[in-house]
């Protein structure tokens, strides 16, 4: 039986994107300039795909009960995560389903992330090693 | 202009070593809102069997993204970065990245395809220690949107 994991909700604000740009070294202008984001046809500033993927990684750590549990982790970036310039920003919800627990202690998880009810990460596949 | 398919299978020399620092791991973990002790506290990381603080699973992008400039900035490839979006990303670990690691990347172009007017390029970075110990393999698929 596929086991549904408890969904994890993460708030994302403009300040988070600025902090992530600095920490990751990804200073692509569409993640901090409303003007340039709109110029290239986006609804406004969007989150780094890798930031959203990192939130999925946090969900995996919560589900695994360990921060160092991830053995494999892959996603497809389906659509952008617009982050409005408000105190609330937006919310990303990460859901997961256990697909398989192997004999050597690995757990296979399918993962999805949504924002405003739309899929932003799809085909998320992870393998975690529980302690 | 489509991407040059002669790049498929091409590899580049190892990048200069990247020194994984304890404070960089803490900074990255803080930036993604991860407060787990293994990312911040060396004692907690050692208790979990690691030599120093552990990096979050997507941390290697800090070095692989910089390393991939080797490929995407080669004018012969013909990439227009203003039309590029991130398609897929995957990490496969041999062991977690820890503070104190000195890591190099060997980049390879695995695949270049064209579909529906868009170009797709999949790159693979083999991330190892300077001594050659495998740590993590990182795949990125970039999409170059067709010109409207």
């Amino acid at each position: 039986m596929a086991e549904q994991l408890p969904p994890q909700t993460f708030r994302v604000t403009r300040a988070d994107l600025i902090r992530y740009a600095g920490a990751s070294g990804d200073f692509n202008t569409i993640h901090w300039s409303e003007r340039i984001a709109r110029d290239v046809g986006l609804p406004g500033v969007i989150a780094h795909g890798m930031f959203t993927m990192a939130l999925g990684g946090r969900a995996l750590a919560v589900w695994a009960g360990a921060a160092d549990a991830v053995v494999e982790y892959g996603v497809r970036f389906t659509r952008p995560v617009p982050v409005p310039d408000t105190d609330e920003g937006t919310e990303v919800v990460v859901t997961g389903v256990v697909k398989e627990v192997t004999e050597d202690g690995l757990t296979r998880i399918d993962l999805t992330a949504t924002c405003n009810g739309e899929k932003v990460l799809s085909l998320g596949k992870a393998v975690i090693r529980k302690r | 202009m489509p991407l040059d398919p002669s790049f498929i299978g091409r590899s580049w020399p190892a990048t200069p070593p990247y020194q994984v620092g304890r404070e960089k791991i803490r900074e990255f973990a803080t930036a993604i809102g991860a407060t787990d002790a293994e990312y911040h506290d060396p004692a907690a990381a050692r208790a979990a069997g690691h030599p120093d603080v552990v990096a979050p699973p997507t941390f290697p992008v800090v070095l692989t993204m910089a390393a991939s400039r080797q490929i995407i900035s080669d004018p012969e490839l013909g990439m227009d970065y203003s039309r590029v979006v991130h398609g897929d990303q995957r990490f496969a670990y041999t062991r977690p990245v820890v503070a104190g690691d000195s890591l190099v990347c060997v980049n390879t172009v695995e695949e270049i395809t064209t579909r529906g007017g868009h170009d797709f390029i999949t790159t693979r970075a083999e991330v190892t220690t300077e001594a050659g110990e495998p740590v993590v393999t990182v795949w990125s698929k970039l999409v170059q949107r067709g010109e409207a």
Side-chain angles (χ1 to χ4, degrees):
Chain A
M1 270 306 276
E3 180 203 346
Q4 209 68 42
L5 293 158
Q8 306 290 314
T9 302
F10 302 97
R11 183 157 298 286
V12 182
T13 66
R14 289 284 177 92
D16 294 319
L17 304 188
I18 302 293
R19 201 175 289 114
Y20 184 77
S24 68
D26 183 346
F27 292 98
N28 193 328
T29 45
I30 59 174
H31 305 306
W32 53 268
S33 167
E34 188 80 10
R35 172 178 57 88
I36 291 170
R38 288 186 188 278
D39 274 358
V40 299
L42 292 164
V45 164
I46 62 166
H48 305 73
M50 287 307 302
F51 180 75
T52 309
M53 186 176 187
L55 299 180
R58 281 179 60 194
L60 291 169
V62 170
W63 293 328
D68 57 355
V70 173
V71 179
E72 282 182 44
Y73 179 28
V75 300
R76 171 159 297 172
F77 303 101
T78 321
R79 51 174 66 236
V81 174
V83 181
D85 185 9
T86 60
D87 290 345
E88 300 76 36
T90 191
E91 262 182 8
V92 170
V93 181
V94 182
T95 56
V97 178
V98 173
K99 301 304 282 185
E100 185 189 3
V101 179
T102 66
E103 284 174 13
D104 46 356
L106 298 174
T107 304
R108 287 184 188 283
I109 293 171
D110 281 2
L111 171 151
T112 300
T114 57
C115 178
N116 301 320
E118 297 195 286
K119 250 185 217 189
V120 292
L121 299 181
S122 67
L123 300 174
K125 297 206 176 295
V127 176
I128 59 173
R129 181 177 287 119
K130 288 197 179 181
R131 286 226 195 91
Chain B
M1 194 180 69
L3 301 176
D4 180 353
S6 76
F7 274 68
I8 299 167
R10 195 179 296 186
S11 290
W12 281 258
T15 53
Y18 177 95
Q19 308 296 325
V20 179
R22 190 186 282 170
E23 297 300 346
K24 188 67 192 179
I25 288 180
R26 287 173 171 157
E27 180 192 6
F28 187 89
T30 300
I32 64 168
T35 56
D36 311 64
E38 293 90 337
Y39 300 149
H40 296 275
D41 176 8
R46 279 194 285 272
H50 305 288
D52 205 319
V53 293
V54 178
T58 61
F59 176 86
V61 75
V62 171
L63 45 150
T64 57
M65 193 176 158
S68 70
R69 288 194 193 113
Q70 240 180 356
I71 306 172
I72 61 181
S73 66
D74 186 330
E76 298 293 313
L77 176 63
M79 183 173 268
D80 172 5
Y81 208 69
S82 70
R83 290 189 286 129
V84 169
V85 294
H86 202 165
D88 295 61
Q89 182 73 29
R90 182 167 166 248
F91 302 86
Y93 278 92
T94 305
R95 65 151 172 89
V97 171
V98 293
D101 277 338
S102 182
L103 300 176
V104 300
C105 303
V106 173
N107 286 316
T108 302
V109 172
E110 278 201 343
E111 191 181 60
I112 293 175
T113 58
T114 299
R115 204 170 59 244
H118 305 300
D119 292 309
F120 301 81
I121 178 168
T122 302
T123 61
R124 183 183 76 240
E126 296 289 353
V127 181
T128 68
T129 64
E130 269 188 277
E133 177 203 356
V135 177
V136 57
T137 305
V138 182
W139 289 268
S140 301
K141 184 185 259 187
L142 300 177
V143 184
Q144 176 172 276
R145 289 171 295 167
E147 284 163 284

